Amino acid sequence: MLLSAILVAFLAIISQWWFFAPITRCMTYPLTTGIIVGIFMGHPMLGMLAGANIQLVYLGWINAGGVMPSNTMVAGIYGTALTILSGANPKLAVTFAIPFSLLGLLMVQIYQTINSFWVHRADQELDKGNVNAIRWLNYVPSFIVSFVVYGIPAFCLVLFGKTWATALINAIPKDLTTALEVVGGLMPALGIAMLLNYLGKRSLNAFFIIGFFLAVYLKLDIMAIAIFSAAIAFLIFVSQTSGKKNAHQTAKKQVRRLSLNNRTGKTEAVATDVATATAEPETISAADYKRKLTHRDLVKTWLWEQSDEAAYNYERLQALGLTNMMIHPIKKLYDDPKRQAEELKKYMVFFNTEPHMVGPIIHGVALSMEEARANGQAVSEDDINGVRTGLMGPAAGIGDTVQQGILFPILASVGASMALAGNYLGPILFTVVFELIIYTLGYFLFMFGYRRGKSSVIQILKNGVIDKVTNAFSIVGLMVVGAMAATRVTVKTPLVWEVGKSTMKLQSILNTLAPGLIPLGITVLIWWLVAKKVNPTWIIIGIFVVGIALSYLNVLGIVK
């Protein structure tokens, strides 16, 4: 058990200490950490099932703009560990995880507040010209804080918690255990409702209903519906883009005019689209640069960028990590240590964007401008920071929407469904495919930003394709989420009453109208509460109270 406690504690540490994103990115998700905790504690299947059940609650919890609505890292690791220690039904993992997730908010506040001190120390070191101190400050102090705040409690829970965890489960009456299972069956509706609030558009909401009833009537599994919805989304995307192309072509009209280049007055095409006639911003030429960044330098910088949130803090968020990222290229571009320190200071300002999928394009642009500045081009510090700060909002909007609001729930829904069916490939495929998409796209955009300079992001934002891609992914997400509502909100009504010599079962009556009406009604109700800006914490409390009360009144039961 000592080794298990050490391993789980280390997992808890790196779930917050994001020292290298390709390793730590999915440690924020219970679907990934659940099976890892299970392996460390000798119960991989129970860990996977517990993590998948917990993940369903947090499908719609999006951490955007540095705001964390709930600590899913603590929920997944601590909730799974307590489920294994007590030997409880994995459906009860949700009731263990939620209190930990709320306690985890205090933990993340402590972590990010203390990390603010290292930013000021970094300022002092750069004033002294000590560039190398930035690396130490980015990694070591934040590791120590994460060790104390996250690692020690996890270690103590696993090493000393088995006795009281087992006693806690044994002390719960059977009726209350059943009621808590009902609560667990209701909880996924919150995660689904939060996703619907994020993805939902009037023109697309029908796809949620389509996905729901495909699962109810045709009994299609999540993967089949994901493939089906992807095909529909692709056809709609092709239709929209081809329609725009045709409209653009018709915007050109044939005219006869005399000019220096057309002295005969023959017919020629004239663009009437203002965007077409507008000249593309001129990019900086690198033909005569004496100091250049090689492809190897760019790759190294991109790898250092994966540590931009190791010392994430409330005061300047990603600033210290991005200064650490820029050490290598700045050293390559400038020989004087004092000049290196001065150039790095401009990165010690507040900065926050989606870090690993779309955000890297900003850092590629910054590198191209740094290279131009080092070679005597008219590029000032204000120019570089102006472009960075101006683009961090749009990049975050696109990145968080596509990654956390669309890509993650689609893949996590499929992975969780496979996991709950006892398939170990569920969390593995989720983790591998999710990270492969993120970092492949992030690498490509990083290099693209460097090659195209400061005109690259403007080009991407203005061409209109982003909105169509987002809509296509939203269609897939809505249909998959609809299937999740049909299969993972696992409650029914056991109400039965006698009419003469006949027995009337309410669930059977509802099924004749349309199967799954209770899960659908509960999901839509919670969706309405979320849309009305009701605090999710109050919704959670309400689900606990109402779920337990209706279970005792025999109004709601669990689908076995």
Side-chain angles (χ1 to χ4, degrees):
M1 190 58 74
L2 177 61
L3 179 60
S4 296
I6 293 172
L7 292 173
V8 172
F10 181 71
L11 181 63
I13 291 169
I14 66 172
S15 73
Q16 176 62 75
W17 179 57
W18 300 326
F19 70 97
F20 187 65
I23 294 175
T24 61
R25 179 65 185 88
C26 284
M27 300 308 161
T28 61
Y29 297 129
L31 181 58
T32 301
T33 55
I35 189 171
I36 296 175
V37 170
I39 292 171
F40 289 167
M41 299 182 68
H43 296 277
M45 179 59 71
L46 180 55
M48 179 178 71
L49 293 174
N53 275 292
I54 296 169
Q55 185 65 79
L56 293 180
V57 180
Y58 297 106
L59 281 176
W61 296 73
I62 297 170
N63 301 330
V67 178
M68 182 175 287
S70 187
N71 196 323
T72 59
M73 303 169 289
V74 171
I77 295 172
Y78 287 54
T80 300
L82 188 56
T83 303
I84 294 173
L85 287 170
S86 62
N89 187 317
K91 291 183 179 179
L92 293 178
V94 173
T95 61
F96 296 147
I98 288 175
F100 280 122
S101 74
L102 298 177
L103 176 63
L105 290 177
L106 175 61
M107 298 165 76
V108 77
Q109 288 169 1
I110 294 171
Y111 178 78
Q112 294 186 18
T113 299
I114 295 177
N115 278 345
S116 299
F117 290 101
W118 322 136
V119 177
H120 293 282
R121 178 68 182 275
D123 289 335
Q124 297 169 8
E125 294 298 332
L126 287 178
D127 287 337
K128 298 175 185 176
N130 188 2
V131 170
N132 293 328
I134 300 300
R135 294 240 191 270
W136 186 88
L137 288 168
N138 189 55
Y139 295 105
V140 178
S142 55
F143 169 80
I144 295 172
V145 178
S146 187
F147 174 83
V148 173
V149 175
Y150 286 87
I152 292 178
F155 177 83
C156 294
L157 173 66
V158 176
L159 191 62
F160 306 116
K162 184 174 178 60
T163 301
W164 64 264
T166 304
L168 174 64
I169 290 296
N170 293 334
I172 298 176
K174 184 177 180 180
D175 288 345
L176 182 56
T177 301
T178 302
L180 291 175
E181 289 183 357
V182 170
V183 171
L186 289 171
M187 278 297 176
L190 175 58
I192 292 167
M194 294 183 73
L195 270 179
L196 288 171
N197 192 55
Y198 194 81
L199 294 174
K201 298 179 182 178
R202 286 180 180 267
S203 59
L204 300 178
N205 285 342
F207 289 101
F208 165 72
I209 303 298
I210 293 172
F212 184 91
F213 285 107
L214 281 175
V216 168
Y217 281 110
L218 300 183
K219 307 299 181 184
L220 296 179
D221 60 26
I222 299 292
M223 182 62 75
I225 292 175
I227 294 171
F228 183 57
S229 61
I232 294 176
F234 177 75
L235 291 174
I236 292 175
F237 173 78
V238 170
S239 175
Q240 289 178 335
T241 52
S242 62
K244 181 180 179 182
K245 182 178 180 181
N246 292 335
H248 178 71
Q249 289 174 346
T250 58
K252 293 183 178 181
K253 58 182 181 179
Q254 301 295 323
V255 299
R256 293 169 60 88
R257 68 180 183 183
L258 293 175
S259 67
L260 291 175
N261 295 324
N262 181 13
R263 304 191 181 198
T264 62
K266 65 180 180 180
T267 302
E268 61 182 26
V270 179
T272 58
D273 186 357
V274 176
T276 305
T278 303
E280 188 176 285
E282 183 179 355
T283 57
I284 300 173
S285 174
D288 301 322
Y289 286 179
K290 294 181 180 179
R291 292 185 175 271
K292 294 184 178 181
L293 297 173
T294 65
H295 182 73
R296 183 183 180 88
D297 294 325
L298 296 175
V299 172
K300 283 185 177 180
T301 305
W302 177 76
L303 290 172
W304 282 115
E305 192 263 336
Q306 307 311 313
S307 300
D308 64 346
E309 293 185 315
Y312 198 74
N313 61 88
Y314 279 131
E315 183 175 328
R316 301 187 213 174
L317 301 178
Q318 298 168 357
L320 182 55
L322 292 178
T323 306
N324 175 70
M325 173 194 75
M326 291 300 297
I327 290 175
H328 176 76
I330 290 295
K331 283 187 173 181
K332 186 72 180 290
L333 294 171
Y334 301 97
D335 294 326
D336 183 8
K338 290 185 178 180
R339 179 67 186 275
Q340 293 170 3
E342 286 299 316
E343 294 297 331
L344 285 172
K345 285 181 180 180
K346 66 171 133 347
Y347 294 95
M348 285 298 299
V349 297
F350 175 94
F351 190 90
N352 193 50
T353 193
E354 185 281 312
H356 303 126
M357 190 175 77
V358 177
I361 196 171
I362 301 175
H363 311 315
V365 171
L367 282 176
S368 71
M369 298 179 73
E370 281 288 0
E371 193 177 53
R373 175 176 167 82
N375 284 276
Q377 297 283 351
V379 179
S380 68
E381 293 184 10
D382 290 340
D383 291 335
I384 295 174
N385 268 340
V387 170
R388 292 174 70 240
T389 56
L391 294 174
M392 69 180 183
I398 296 170
D400 287 333
T401 297
V402 175
Q403 183 188 143
Q404 295 189 58
I406 299 175
L407 183 62
F408 159 70
I410 293 172
L411 295 176
S413 297
V414 174
S417 295
M418 294 174 67
L420 291 171
N423 191 337
Y424 285 114
L425 285 177
I428 295 172
L429 285 177
F430 159 71
T431 304
V432 172
V433 174
F434 184 62
E435 293 205 358
L436 187 63
I437 293 173
I438 289 173
Y439 297 110
T440 299
L441 185 58
Y443 176 83
F444 169 78
L445 289 177
F446 181 89
M447 297 300 178
F448 181 79
Y450 170 76
R451 289 194 306 268
R452 295 301 301 273
K454 60 185 177 182
S455 66
S456 59
V457 178
I458 297 173
Q459 177 189 1
I460 287 177
L461 293 178
K462 287 187 176 180
N463 63 15
V465 174
I466 288 294
D467 289 337
K468 295 178 176 61
V469 171
T470 301
N471 278 343
F473 275 108
S474 295
I475 290 169
V476 179
L478 285 167
M479 290 184 68
V480 169
V481 168
M484 292 295 293
T487 57
R488 299 306 170 193
V489 182
T490 54
V491 290
K492 64 177 182 179
T493 177
L495 277 178
V496 177
W497 64 90
E498 301 290 336
V499 179
K501 295 182 179 181
S502 301
T503 300
M504 305 291 290
K505 296 181 179 180
L506 180 57
Q507 186 65 57
S508 298
I509 296 172
L510 293 175
N511 287 343
T512 60
L513 298 173
L517 283 179
I518 291 178
L520 179 61
I522 291 170
T523 302
V524 171
L525 173 62
I526 297 178
W527 183 10
W528 179 79
L529 292 173
V530 172
K532 291 295 183 181
K533 309 297 183 183
V534 177
N535 191 310
T537 302
W538 287 111
I539 297 176
I540 289 173
I541 294 172
I543 290 173
F544 265 95
V545 173
V546 173
I548 291 172
L550 293 181
S551 175
Y552 273 97
L553 294 172
N554 204 37
V555 175
L556 284 182
I558 197 76
V559 177
K560 300 296 184 182

